[in-house]
């Protein structure tokens, strides 16, 4: 197998399993009337996908995958805006809730652009791997906060981990850096912890 074929498999694997992850999040969100992705992760994902679908597109296949992710993330964002406030209305006013979201969205957008220039990384690799790590930690925090499986499922957890594994292996084989390697390993560890937590909850 040539390097090009191997990277294509990793690219398609990452794209496909993240698409499935997003679809499962949307489906579970509508079923449970709960958001399935934490706010910071939503804002970072949508910002990254907008930047690399419309402003700095990579190869055509990646642009198509990124555009699909972006469209699906819009639904995930709408679920957060529609259902999320119900969980926090006793804690914060509605204006603060929505203001916090849009401020986080703007901060995420410009932080990703800044990381691209800081690391001379016009493909957004460091930002993508970093926000994936953050997302893994936030999924665990969301599970602990709720104490149940609303908005979450084993399918979401497994597909996220598999998609991450495809990306991690591809970059480790041909584009590895110490930082990306550490972030990838940490993300996979957190994803495994998330799977174990969900499994234990199902087993109760």
């Amino acid at each position: 197998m040539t390097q090009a074929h191997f990277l294509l498999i990793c690219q398609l694997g990452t794209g496909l399993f993240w698409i499935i992850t997003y679809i499962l999040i949307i489906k579970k969100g509508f079923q449970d009337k709960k958001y399935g992705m934490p706010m910071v992760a939503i804002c970072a994902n949508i910002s990254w996908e907008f930047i690399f679908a419309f402003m700095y597109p990579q190869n055509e296949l990646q642009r198509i995958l990124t555009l699909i992710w972006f469209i699906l993330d819009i639904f995930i964002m709408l679920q957060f805006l529609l259902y999320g406030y119900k969980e926090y209305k006793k804690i914060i006013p509605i204006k603060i809730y929505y203001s916090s979201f849009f401020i986080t969205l703007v901060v995420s957008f410009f932080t990703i652009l800044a990381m691209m220039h800081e690391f001379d990384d016009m493909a957004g690799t460091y930002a993508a791997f970093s926000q994936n790590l953050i997302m893994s930690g936030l999924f665990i925090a969301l599970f602990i906060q709720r104490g149940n499986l609303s908005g979450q499922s084993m399918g979401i957890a497994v597909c996220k981990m598999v998609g991450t594994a495809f990306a991690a292996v591809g970059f480790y084989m041909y584009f590895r850096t110490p930082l990306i390697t550490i972030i990838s390993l940490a993300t996979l560890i957190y994803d495994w912890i998330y799977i174990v937590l969900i499994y234990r909850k199902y087993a109760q």
Side-chain angles (χ1 to χ4, degrees):
M1 183 184 298
T2 66
Q3 175 181 337
H5 286 129
F6 182 82
L7 290 175
L8 178 60
I9 291 172
C10 290
Q11 185 180 20
L12 288 172
T14 302
L16 175 62
F17 278 95
W18 272 100
I19 287 171
I20 296 173
T21 300
Y22 287 164
I23 291 173
L24 291 176
I25 290 173
I26 293 168
K27 179 182 177 182
K28 194 68 163 58
F30 282 129
Q31 286 177 344
D32 297 344
K33 300 294 188 291
K34 294 278 189 176
Y35 69 90
M37 186 181 291
M39 181 180 72
V40 173
I42 296 171
C43 292
N45 279 359
I46 285 187
S47 296
W48 192 95
E49 289 152 4
F50 180 86
I51 290 169
F52 291 100
F54 302 106
M55 297 172 62
Y56 296 94
Q58 305 302 305
N59 59 73
E60 187 59 26
L61 173 59
Q62 187 57 54
R63 183 176 182 274
I64 292 171
L65 291 172
T66 303
L67 184 59
I68 294 172
W69 295 341
F70 177 74
I71 293 170
L72 292 173
D73 258 329
I74 289 176
F75 287 95
I76 294 173
M77 178 187 71
L78 291 175
Q79 287 182 331
F80 179 84
L81 296 175
L82 180 63
Y83 302 133
Y85 180 65
K86 298 174 184 177
E87 294 186 41
Y88 303 103
K89 61 183 179 181
K90 294 182 179 179
I91 304 173
I92 57 174
I94 188 169
K95 290 183 179 180
I96 298 297
Y97 177 79
Y98 289 113
S99 297
S100 298
F101 176 83
F102 289 109
I103 290 171
T104 304
L105 184 62
V106 172
V107 170
S108 298
F109 181 82
F110 286 106
T111 298
I112 291 169
L113 288 177
M115 288 182 70
M116 291 166 58
H117 293 283
E118 185 80 14
F119 289 96
D120 192 22
D121 175 29
M122 303 313 289
T125 303
Y126 288 101
F129 276 83
S130 297
Q131 65 195 54
N132 192 20
L133 173 59
I134 293 170
M135 189 189 311
S136 296
L138 290 174
F139 271 125
I140 294 172
L142 183 63
F143 175 84
I144 294 172
Q145 171 192 319
R146 286 177 173 166
N148 57 54
L149 293 171
S150 59
Q152 301 165 87
S153 70
M154 181 62 77
I156 293 169
V158 170
C159 288
K160 180 191 181 305
M161 185 176 187
V162 174
T164 296
F166 270 109
V169 170
F171 274 85
Y172 182 78
M173 292 295 293
Y174 298 108
F175 309 107
R176 81 183 69 150
T177 70
L179 180 56
I180 293 295
T181 301
I182 291 171
I183 291 174
S184 297
L185 288 173
T187 303
L188 290 170
I189 290 170
Y190 282 128
D191 285 348
W192 178 249
I193 293 172
Y194 185 49
I195 288 173
V196 171
L197 289 172
I198 291 180
Y199 174 79
R200 288 166 63 93
K201 195 67 178 179
Y202 272 122
Q204 289 181 355

